[in-house]
Amino acid sequence: MKFNTKTIHGGQKPDPAYGAVMPPIYQTTTYAQSTPGGHKGYAYSRSHNPTRNALENALASIENGNFGFAFGSGLAAIDAILKLLKPGDEVISTNDLYGGTYRLFTQIFEDFGITFHFVGMKNASNIENYVNANTKLIWVETPTNPMLNIIDIKAAANIAKKHGVLLAVDNTFATPYLQQPLDLGADIIMHSATKYLGGHSDVVMGALVVKDKDLANKLYFIQNASGAICGPQDSFLVLRGIKTLHVRMQRHCENGKAIATYLATHPKVEKVYWPGFKEHPNHAIAKAQMRDFGGMVSFTTKGNNYAEAIQLVEKLKVFTLAESLGGVESLAGHPASMTHASIPKEDREKTGVVDSLIRLSVGIEDETDLIADLQQALG
Ligand SMILES: *Cc1c(COP(=O)(O)O)cnc(C)c1O
């Protein structure tokens, strides 16, 4: 099955009860048993729920995996991966990653005796410098937030395999429409399904997908034992979102390209970060591992003025000033005062998050309206 068919049919079949084409929202905690243990595969909804299971099958299918797991948020999904580890274990993580992931690693799991190395991965061979006998996990996020750096997944997977270490990839920005990390050698795919998979800014959810059965058993045990599952209503919404993922992503990419190209010619714009430009430092890797370049675009303005950047995002009318990304509507954010405000100016500037940096999640509206909006705000 091709990807554009899998989003609609992958892992899905009509509901056995009445043939409903979309799975019913099984809003139930428990299931009647004919005799103790005599049930139809469902005993309690933390362990299994038919609506969540339908979503989990779809997730596994679109990522070319064998097992999918849905959680109450992206961070709950990452939390489950980290629970595979023990005190004394070490993790090598990209140094340019989602702030909430960084907070979970450093403010929760460091206290449990896990050591994290945050390293530059623009050149993936740098990972190997930090591998030792305690290394258990390599954490890659690509493209990164908000600088849109690209990390070579295949190169990272080769290092992971050579040393018998797990490779997890946060595939939130790319989605399986653009890149399929399991096919490139990754062991675990993680999603904030809150973003493109849900796609409509109406649900918070996380997901994991793996191929390996032993790894799946361990993750299922953690999902059930720790209990950070999502509810049936949210499962239904994300399953519905996935059915249009390929159509939405195609338009996100077209509009992203149009906006990046427009911004690059604007006299007030200093620099545009978008992996589709030939000048992007890892454009060749992006081209090799991604189908297209996505709908996320960041840029800075000349003079690098904090107040001017805030004025710019306030003036936008079609773009909404808001956190998050990946929905059908266009959003704009100012990392220095929003997502990255808690990071000291000196530290954030080292990774490129300067005062005038603006991050756009380009939606699927008409591109001429989006460009006109940026034009009036920049004007
Ligand atoms: C939003 C996000 C997360 C966290 O997901 P939540 O659903 O908000 O918990 C993790 N990684 C990336 C890249 C994200 O954008």
Side-chain angles (χ1 to χ4, degrees), residues 71-78 97-101 103 139 141-145 170-174 190-195 203-207 296 324-325 359:
F71 293 84
S73 71
L75 285 172
I78 303 173
L97 81 167
Y98 181 72
T101 309
R103 182 176 56 194
W139 184 268
E141 183 181 313
T142 182
T144 66
N145 174 33
D170 183 337
N171 206 25
T172 300
F173 268 38
M190 174 263 152
H191 275 281
S192 169
T194 313
K195 315 295 168 53
V203 59
V204 173
M205 190 190 283
M296 299 301 297
S324 200
L325 61 110
R359 187 194 77 177

Side-chain angles (χ1 to χ4, degrees), residues 1 3-13 21 58 61 243:
M1 233 188 259
F3 185 80
N4 295 355
T5 310
K6 277 190 173 183
T7 53
I8 295 163
H9 298 289
Q12 304 304 298
K13 52 182 184 309
V21 168
S61 168
K243 288 182 190 284

